[in-house]
Amino acid sequence: MATTTLPKKLVLLAVLSLTGSVYAVLVRYSKVTAKLTYVSSTVVAMQELLKMVVTIFVLLVESGGPTSTINVLNHHVIRAPLDTSKLAIPSCLYAVQNNMFFLSLSNMDAPTQQVLLQLKIPFTAVLCVILLGRSLSMQQWLAVLLMFFGTGLIEYYSTTNTMFGHKDKRAVQTGSNENFFLGLFAVVLGSLCSAIAGVYFEKIIKSNETSLWVRNFQMYIWSVPMSFLGAFVNDSHKIQENGFFSGYNSLVWILILLSAFSGLLISIVLLYSNNITKCFAASLSIVISTVVSYYLFNYHIGWYFIIGSTLVCCSIFLYVIKCQPSLKKMETEHSPA
Ligand code: C5P
């Protein structure tokens, strides 16, 4: 597979940032403005199913027809159970991350949870060094820290304010049956799982010539049944009462499409770029979605946003612009041949 040029990588990251921004704005709209009552776990299951369908379609195109696709899958999946089972690890880690997200949110206030979730940024950097043998310069470490603090600051204040500029007291309220330490454990574990899953997947796709789409197939073969099982176990009551697709409308389908597209795009970014630049794209999408929400929903923007977004922009400048020679060298070393 050919090495992708720096401008192409930047386009990939820009598309990922924009997709993340549109997704965040639409989720806010669906929950607060449209007050849709869809069951989130069914949405996750549909996203995983859609990613699997798209992956099979790409495999059909990549390998040149149904017969060769069956041969490829026979060779890489059915006759390679050990290889396929390796992809159960990131799949399980992403599933744990999803569950920890909800567990932490039910045991701590949303702003604290949002800040702690950003721990996946330094965790990812440390894991890239330990597991991928990558080295970061002092400037790049500083960029990672600035990104963590900048994103954390924006997320903290965004979640304490509603879209209409007022303080949302419910966001910072703590219930009597909440266990903060359980919430803390869940959010740290969730961030760690996300970082390990990303770095592990990157290591696997860059370890040999096996197609990214075969790797995605090997991963979704685990995540599809797990997500459907998760929906039927956690929300069986709601699903039995109102049906699997209750509360669905065209907006929910757009959310499913966007999220599936963004998951597949992340896998492409991990192949052609790396986990740390993926974190930059995610931070940038938080900045963009806040600015878009300001114009669309009269979202409150204060000093925290100015400082937070300045920190995020400085971190991108430090990492991508200032460190371009070492970045190019690093990516040439780690890009697939
Ligand atoms: O929050 P985080 O960056 O860890 O999320 C990564 C997302 O990318 C997860 O939702 C995961 O399901 C998705 N992904 C994917 N296919 C891959 C790798 C990640 O859909 N091959």
Side-chain angles (χ1 to χ4, degrees):
M1 201 177 290
T3 311
T4 305
T5 57
L6 198 63
K8 275 191 192 158
K9 283 175 190 169
L10 291 177
V11 168
L12 267 179
L13 293 170
V15 176
L16 188 59
S17 302
L18 280 178
T19 314
S21 321
V22 176
Y23 182 73
V25 169
L26 287 183
V27 168
R28 276 174 201 171
Y29 178 82
S30 79
K31 294 246 159 90
V32 182
T33 310
K35 293 191 169 48
L36 298 182
T37 55
Y38 58 89
V39 182
S40 303
S41 60
T42 65
V43 170
V44 174
M46 291 310 293
Q47 285 160 10
E48 294 305 314
L49 186 62
L50 184 59
K51 285 190 280 190
M52 179 56 124
V53 171
V54 174
T55 299
I56 293 173
F57 180 76
V58 177
L59 278 172
L60 281 168
V61 175
E62 194 178 67
S63 54
T67 317
S68 27
T69 304
I70 290 169
N71 287 340
V72 167
L73 293 181
N74 185 32
H75 178 74
H76 287 285
V77 181
I78 296 169
R79 288 175 182 212
L82 196 69
D83 208 33
T84 306
S85 60
K86 282 186 197 162
L87 272 295
I89 297 171
S91 200
C92 286
L93 288 169
Y94 281 129
V96 173
Q97 178 203 10
N98 278 337
N99 286 300
M100 289 301 116
F101 180 85
F102 291 109
L103 182 63
S104 57
L105 208 50
S106 30
N107 282 286
M108 62 169 43
D109 59 88
T112 313
Q113 192 240 19
Q114 283 298 314
V115 173
L116 291 172
L117 268 183
Q118 307 313 318
L119 277 173
K120 71 173 144 188
I121 298 171
F123 282 165
T124 301
V126 171
L127 285 167
C128 280
V129 171
I130 298 173
L131 297 180
L132 301 178
R134 223 159 256 176
S135 64
L136 296 186
S137 66
M138 280 305 281
Q139 254 177 345
Q140 287 172 315
W141 280 115
L142 182 64
V144 167
L145 284 182
L146 288 183
M147 177 171 41
F148 168 66
F149 286 117
T151 314
L153 194 63
I154 298 172
E155 286 290 26
Y156 179 83
Y157 283 97
S158 298
T159 29
T160 49
N161 287 281
T162 63
M163 284 178 199
F164 305 101
H166 308 296
K167 278 266 178 204
D168 183 1
K169 293 196 179 63
R170 283 163 305 147
V172 286
Q173 240 172 21
T174 42
S176 54
N177 55 353
E178 287 180 5
N179 180 344
F180 179 79
F181 288 101
L182 180 62
L184 183 67
F185 169 78
V187 77
V188 173
L189 182 64
S191 307
L192 196 58
C193 285
S194 151
I196 299 174
V199 174
Y200 184 93
F201 188 79
E202 186 183 339
K203 194 177 169 73
I204 286 203
I205 50 175
K206 289 179 179 171
S207 64
N208 62 30
E209 291 290 297
T210 307
S211 150
L212 168 70
W213 299 97
V214 169
R215 293 305 190 191
N216 276 343
F217 185 94
Q218 288 175 323
M219 186 155 109
Y220 303 144
I221 209 164
W222 300 102
S223 64
V224 172
M226 266 194 287
S227 57
F228 274 91
L229 195 70
F232 284 108
V233 169
N234 294 327
D235 294 306
S236 62
H237 191 64
K238 286 183 207 160
I239 294 173
Q240 270 170 12
E241 215 163 76
N242 306 316
F244 191 86
F245 295 109
S246 86
Y248 274 50
N249 65 6
S250 48
L251 179 60
V252 180
W253 287 108
I254 292 173
L255 284 177
I256 292 172
L257 275 176
L258 268 178
S259 172
F261 176 70
S262 144
L264 293 169
L265 199 59
I266 284 176
S267 70
I268 298 172
V269 166
L270 294 185
L271 178 68
Y272 292 114
S273 191
N274 62 54
N275 265 286
I276 299 179
T277 41
K278 183 211 79 178
C279 288
F280 278 99
S283 297
L284 199 59
S285 72
I286 289 171
V287 175
I288 299 170
S289 64
T290 309
V291 174
V292 174
S293 299
Y294 170 78
Y295 286 108
L296 289 185
F297 310 119
N298 197 19
Y299 194 80
H300 181 246
I301 282 189
W303 61 269
Y304 60 87
F305 178 75
I306 311 288
I307 299 178
S309 53
T310 308
L311 289 181
V312 169
C313 292
C314 285
S315 75
I316 293 172
F317 177 75
L318 258 183
Y319 196 92
V320 181
I321 313 292
K322 282 263 190 188
C323 308
Q324 231 190 63
S326 58
L327 185 76
K328 271 185 184 166
K329 182 173 166 276
M330 192 175 86
E331 286 178 357
T332 316
E333 280 165 9
H334 293 279
S335 282

